[in-house]
Amino acid sequence: AANADAAANTDAAASEAADEEKSQATADESNARKSQENDDSANEQSSEEEDSLTPLGKAKKEAADYLEALQRERAEFINFRNRAAKEQDRFRQHGITDVLTALLPALDD
């Protein structure tokens, strides 16, 4: 009975992890598409605006663009770090489950 419970817990955890990965991948794809669409429309507008900007205005716009890019990269890194931590915890739980499942027959005897 203990082996069946451990197997059921393992299957449930694997299913939950797969669902979470699918939802995260879908969210990432959606964000990437929105970002690309925003970049495309911004590029069309920026070419017209850049012609009328002074050197100081151009420098400020460039600084704002770099700041925005930095903030995006930082957010992506934080998301990556969080995903890696969750994945590490999930692998740790699977390892514990595997070890306990392997030890159960010996402990039952």
Side-chain angles (χ1 to χ4, degrees):
N3 286 341
D5 289 341
N9 288 341
T10 303
D11 292 342
S15 174
E16 183 179 311
D19 291 343
E20 184 177 316
E21 287 178 10
K22 287 178 186 176
S23 65
Q24 182 65 35
T26 303
D28 288 346
E29 287 177 16
S30 175
N31 288 339
R33 269 189 251 116
K34 287 178 185 177
S35 176
Q36 182 63 33
E37 289 171 2
N38 290 341
D39 289 347
D40 290 345
S41 64
N43 285 340
E44 292 172 3
Q45 293 174 353
S46 67
S47 64
E48 295 172 1
E49 292 174 359
E50 285 180 8
D51 294 340
S52 64
L53 290 178
T54 64
L56 178 61
K58 289 180 182 178
K60 284 184 178 181
K61 183 178 181 338
E62 186 177 352
D65 291 343
Y66 282 127
L67 177 63
E68 183 181 334
L70 173 65
Q71 289 171 338
R72 283 185 185 175
E73 289 299 320
R74 185 176 290 163
E76 286 180 22
F77 178 72
I78 290 170
N79 290 339
F80 165 76
R81 189 174 55 196
N82 291 340
R83 275 194 314 270
K86 286 179 185 177
E87 188 175 281
Q88 197 174 33
D89 288 341
R90 193 174 68 240
F91 286 145
R92 185 176 294 118
Q93 288 297 325
H94 284 298
I96 290 170
T97 303
D98 291 345
V99 168
L100 292 178
T101 303
L103 288 176
L104 270 176
L107 294 175
D108 282 343
D109 289 341

